[in-house]
């Protein structure tokens, strides 16, 4: 009680406090998360997803002294891809592991407090490894999604289940891997399963009880609901989809979203339209491969921007929309899309401000028309119509860059208000892709396409590498610096007021670079590939950095020639925590 009172007094005296805020997690604490250095309450280190910390104790001058404090193993034989961002509250770290597990750990000592292992049924259908990206905190609860498409809320202190809700039918291909987001007392989630003909949507539930408040499908023709009543159809039925294909139209909202309290909009990315064979569905296929902005109160779409209309390459538009404020006070959002282009969009009205490549080789379009917001397609580089193939069973094979694994995939970027730069984990790769006939069958893969991921010629991209951490200026479209990496980058990024950029590599390193120059200042070998975003917080006057290590995810499963190139990488499942060594 005394501690809580002291925290409140300090918070009152100095604005948002560095002191860990004890007790139940409130909406105000969520809103202030990006500024409060004593905790990390949200995926994105703030709901707008900037992954920026105002901490300066670890900085360009002393980061070379960063040393491990503790490491924690997820244990068992379930050492698969670990894409989780931990959250930290009141001295406890909550981190999810592969196979829908959640661990509560003493953030100072690394001692396990409790663990929850979700009982998974046979027949789950995760597309891209048995990963999980993290948990949400609200009130006395820690909430996360599972591979069998459930949402589970546990008591932070005991790990006991407080409520459990079914998101959807896992036997129809639904699953959940993203970290939920808390907005105004609601827990906001999407759905995974875009390769199985599911229908993407956004759900908002009462975070304390799990009761559904509203649901908004992101494919045109489907009805939304609020408080148990109809709340309007999404878009206009059959306006951009032919026949009945919208009924199994994909648009999986599998990476979750961001939220900006100033616009009151939830920004959710949507995946590929289903099936992959675009010749079956002439039209834009709204709102697939888009960012949709949903009013948090009404559950209605306020604006949308489609990054790949009539997608034929699996360029899921799920990537995080990260809002920031320009020098003249405008609220814009940045999005590094799987299709290889970086988009700058007005966060209030969705109007395109800029679109430019952040990878070196793009074959499907030559650029974007900023007036209409539409891509300039290269028609010859769309995978061919199988009905026009020689035997009617395979369309013309095309070479496409980026590959469907994207110029960027699930690994979240960071934005620094100090430098004005986005730090984007980019990949240079291509694929051979072709279309095949397909019909929808519940619970079966619904692609109508085949593919092989390929490396690109060194002469096309200026060297022999796949990954590149790139500092991107959203105002000019210029890449200010880059740090290349042999393997494809698959972890997220964090930046700090200490002038640093942190990110991990599949080769096992957590690295710290100078945010202005890209110069590598520190690295540490974690023993397995890092495919998760780092975090930082402050406890008892010291700054900590943490990252999860454990190679896996989509690359080893679907990476074709690239998977073979990196098949020497070891699996794992650890949390690593660092602070400055006192010499
Ligand atoms: Ca915080
Ligand atoms: Ca997809």
């Amino acid at each position: 009680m005394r501690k809580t009172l002291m925290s409140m007094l300090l918070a009152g005296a100095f604005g948002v406090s560095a002191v860990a805020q004890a007790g139940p997690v409130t909406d105000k604490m969520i809103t202030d998360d990006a500024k409060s250095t004593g905790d990390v309450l949200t995926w994105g280190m703030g709901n707008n997803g900037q992954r920026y910390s105002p901490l300066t104790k670890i900085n360009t001058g002393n980061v070379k002294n960063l040393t491990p404090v503790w490491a924690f193993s997820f244990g068992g034989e379930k050492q698969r891809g670990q894409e989780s961002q931990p959250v930290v509250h009141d001295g406890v770290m909550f981190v999810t592991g592969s196979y829908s597990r959640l661990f509560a750990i003493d953030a100072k000592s690394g001692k396990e407090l409790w663990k929850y292992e979700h009982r998974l049924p046979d027949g789950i259908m995760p597309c891209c490894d048995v990963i999980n990206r993290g948990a949400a905190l609200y009130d006395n609860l820690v909430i996360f999604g599972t591979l069998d498409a459930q949402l589970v809320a546990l008591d932070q202190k005991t790990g006991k289940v407080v409520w459990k809700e079914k998101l959807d039918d896992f036997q129809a291909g639904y699953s959940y891997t993203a970290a939920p987001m808390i907005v105004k007392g609601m827990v906001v989630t999407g759905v995974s399963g875009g390769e199985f003909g599911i229908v993407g949507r956004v759900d908002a539930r009462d975070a304390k009880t799990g009761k559904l408040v509203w649901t908004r499908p992101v494919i045109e023709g489907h009805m939304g609901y609020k408080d148990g009543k109809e709340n309007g159809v999404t878009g206009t039925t059959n306006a951009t989809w032919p026949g009945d294909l919208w009924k199994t139209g994909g648009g999986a909202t599998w990476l979750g979203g961001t939220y900006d309290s100033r616009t009151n909009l939830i920004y959710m990315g949507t995946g590929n339209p289903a099936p992959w064979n675009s010749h079956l569905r002439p039209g834009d296929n709204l709102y697939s491969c888009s960012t949709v902005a949903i009013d948090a109160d009404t559950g209605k779409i306020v604006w949308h921007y489609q990054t790949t209309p009539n997608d034929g390459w699996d360029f899921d538009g799920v990537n995080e929309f990260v809002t920031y404020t320009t020098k003249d006070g405008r609220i814009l959002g940045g999005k590094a899309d799987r299709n290889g282009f970086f988009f700058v969009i007005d966060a209030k009205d969705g109007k395109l401000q800029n679109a430019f490549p952040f990878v070196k080789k793009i074959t499907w379009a030559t650029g974007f028309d900023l007036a209409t917001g539409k891509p300039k397609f290269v028609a010859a580089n769309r995978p061919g119509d199988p009905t026009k193939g020689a035997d009617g069973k395979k369309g013309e094979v095309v070479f496409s860059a980026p590959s469907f694994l994207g110029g960027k995939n699930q690994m979240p970027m960071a934005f620094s208000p100090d430098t004005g730069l986005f730090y984007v984990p980019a990949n240079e790769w291509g694929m051979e892709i072709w279309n095949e006939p397909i019909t929808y069958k519940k619970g079966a893969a619904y692609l109508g396409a085949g593919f092989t991921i390929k490396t690109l010629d060194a002469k096309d991209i200026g060297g022999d590498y796949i990954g590149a951490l790139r500092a991107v200026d959203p105002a000019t479209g210029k890449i200010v610096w880059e740090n290349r990496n042999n393997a494809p980058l698959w972890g997220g990024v964090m930046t700090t007021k200490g002038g640093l950029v942190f990110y991990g590599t599949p080769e096992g390193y957590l690295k710290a670079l100078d945010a202005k120059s890209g110069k590598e200042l520190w690295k540490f070998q974690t023993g397995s590939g890092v495919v998760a975003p780092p975090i930082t917080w402050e406890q008892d006057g010291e700054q900590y950095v943490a990252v999860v290590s454990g190679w896996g995810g989509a690359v080893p499963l679907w990476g074709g020639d690239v998977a073979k190139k990196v098949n020497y990488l070891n699996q794992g499942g650890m949390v690593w925590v660092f602070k400055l060594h006192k010499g």
Side-chain angles (χ1 to χ4, degrees):
M1 207 52 205
R2 197 184 167 83
K3 189 182 167 196
T4 309
L5 185 64
M6 186 56 96
S7 301
M8 284 164 66
L9 288 171
L10 285 170
F14 303 111
V16 177
S17 171
V19 175
Q21 304 175 84
V25 176
T26 63
D27 286 306
K28 170 125 181 33
M29 286 159 71
I30 299 277
T31 305
D32 291 341
D33 186 31
K35 293 180 214 148
S36 58
T37 51
D39 53 30
V40 175
L41 303 175
T42 58
W43 194 82
M45 295 171 60
N47 267 348
N48 66 357
Q50 288 190 351
R51 296 183 180 277
Y52 168 83
S53 169
L55 283 169
T56 56
K57 286 185 177 161
I58 300 170
N59 54 53
T60 51
N62 62 20
V63 68
K64 63 179 186 294
N65 299 325
L66 206 54
T67 311
V69 187
W70 56 262
F72 175 91
S73 171
F74 294 149
E77 294 169 7
K78 296 169 176 176
Q79 309 274 325
R80 292 281 291 270
Q82 313 293 352
E83 296 182 356
S84 179
Q85 182 220 291
V87 286
V88 177
H89 169 54
D90 204 6
V92 180
M93 175 184 286
F94 300 92
V95 60
T96 60
S98 51
Y99 289 101
S100 306
R101 293 175 292 166
L102 195 151
F103 302 85
I105 308 166
D106 183 292
K108 257 189 117 169
S109 68
K111 183 176 181 292
E112 180 179 299
L113 301 174
W114 54 260
K115 72 178 159 195
Y116 170 81
E117 300 191 73
H118 188 70
R119 200 176 173 137
L120 289 167
D122 291 335
I124 52 168
M125 282 179 265
C127 80
C128 305
D129 204 358
V130 288
I131 60 98
N132 186 281
R133 299 200 175 89
L137 299 173
Y138 192 70
D139 197 41
N140 64 328
L141 302 173
V142 51
I143 307 167
F144 83 120
T146 65
L147 293 165
D148 60 343
Q150 298 200 46
L151 204 53
V152 184
L154 308 166
D155 185 288
Q156 287 172 10
K157 290 270 182 314
T158 64
K160 293 277 184 306
V161 176
V162 176
W163 58 258
K164 202 189 289 192
E165 287 286 322
K166 184 174 156 179
L167 286 171
D168 219 306
D169 178 6
F170 76 88
Q171 290 176 314
Y174 286 89
S175 58
Y176 205 58
T177 52
M181 174 171 64
I182 302 294
V183 176
K184 294 181 160 179
M186 301 183 293
V187 55
V188 176
T189 52
V191 288
S192 306
E195 273 55 58
F196 300 96
I198 60 94
V199 174
R201 62 169 205 268
V202 183
D203 290 345
R205 289 181 161 76
D206 183 322
K208 289 189 186 177
T209 65
K211 186 170 180 284
L212 192 67
V213 178
W214 55 255
T215 181
R216 171 54 52 193
V218 298
I219 294 293
E220 93 184 3
H222 294 271
M223 180 63 76
Y225 293 88
K226 184 170 184 289
D227 302 324
K229 297 191 194 90
E230 289 189 350
N231 190 32
V233 167
T234 296
T236 307
T237 309
N238 283 138
T240 67
W241 284 84
D244 284 339
L245 261 81
W246 57 274
K247 290 180 181 169
T248 50
T253 41
W254 60 262
L255 195 51
T258 57
Y259 171 75
D260 193 310
S261 55
R262 298 169 299 174
T263 61
N264 194 35
L265 294 174
I266 292 163
Y267 304 100
M268 195 66 88
T270 68
N272 62 284
W276 285 18
N277 177 357
S278 64
H279 299 278
L280 293 170
R281 40 176 174 74
D284 282 352
N285 314 136
L286 294 175
Y287 297 102
S288 66
C289 297
S290 302
T291 294
V292 295
I294 300 173
D295 185 303
D297 299 324
T298 66
K300 290 195 169 177
I301 295 174
V302 173
W303 61 257
H304 72 277
Y305 179 77
Q306 191 174 39
T307 44
T308 315
N310 191 223
D311 165 54
W313 303 266
D314 190 36
F315 288 151
D316 289 21
V318 293
N319 288 108
E320 68 284 4
F321 183 80
V322 177
T323 56
Y324 64 102
T325 310
T326 62
K327 285 195 187 103
D328 57 353
R330 298 180 67 201
I331 307 171
L332 303 179
K335 180 186 186 186
D337 201 274
R338 222 151 108 159
N339 69 19
F341 289 95
F342 192 101
F343 297 89
V344 180
I345 296 169
D346 188 308
K348 283 187 185 157
D349 62 19
K351 193 155 177 351
L352 182 65
Q353 307 296 307
N354 204 354
F356 51 85
F358 67 94
V359 293
K360 299 203 170 171
K361 182 159 177 157
I362 297 178
T363 58
W364 70 278
T366 55
F368 276 72
D369 181 328
L370 293 184
T372 64
K374 297 282 188 184
K376 299 169 192 165
F377 284 110
V378 180
N381 288 341
R382 178 179 290 274
D385 184 347
T387 65
K388 292 184 180 141
D391 56 2
K393 290 192 177 134
K394 185 173 178 181
E396 187 197 351
V397 181
V398 301
F399 184 84
S400 169
S403 78
F404 73 87
L405 290 176
K408 178 175 164 302
N409 201 290
Q410 57 85 27
M411 52 288 194
M413 62 185 180
F415 174 80
S416 168
D418 304 326
T419 63
L421 300 173
F422 280 95
Y423 300 101
V424 182
N427 289 316
E428 301 281 359
W429 45 16
M431 64 178 166
E432 285 177 350
I433 180 167
W434 60 91
N435 288 321
E436 297 164 351
I438 183 80
T439 51
Y440 174 78
K441 187 164 161 273
K442 184 188 166 183
Y446 186 47
L447 300 188
F451 51 81
T452 308
I453 304 265
K454 301 279 187 188
T455 53
L456 297 179
D457 282 345
K459 64 176 165 42
D460 281 347
I461 56 171
D464 182 19
Y465 66 99
I466 299 170
L469 196 280
R470 290 187 171 137
V472 173
D473 185 335
T476 63
K478 292 224 164 61
I479 291 168
V480 178
W481 54 256
E482 68 174 5
N483 192 2
R484 292 178 180 176
N485 198 68
N486 188 259
L489 292 180
W490 208 257
V493 188
M494 168 179 79
T495 184
T496 72
K497 198 173 179 64
L500 297 168
V501 173
F502 287 89
Y503 72 107
T505 71
E507 289 89 337
Y509 289 102
L510 178 65
K511 294 186 174 186
L513 312 184
D514 185 310
K516 283 192 185 135
S517 67
K519 186 175 175 230
E520 202 166 294
L521 301 175
W522 173 86
K523 67 179 176 181
F524 179 84
Q525 173 56 249
T526 65
S528 178
V530 177
V531 291
I535 58 163
T536 190
W537 75 98
E538 187 176 19
Q539 196 167 336
D540 298 334
E542 291 182 289
Q543 185 182 351
Y544 290 75
V545 172
V547 75
V548 172
S549 166
W551 172 239
V555 176
L557 295 173
W558 300 110
D561 289 357
V562 172
K564 284 179 203 152
K565 190 179 153 111
V566 297
N567 66 6
Y568 64 93
L569 297 169
N570 288 326
Q571 294 184 310
M574 302 278 283
V575 187
W576 284 93
V577 176
F578 306 86
K579 67 177 185 180
L580 291 175
H581 175 68
K582 287 185 195 153

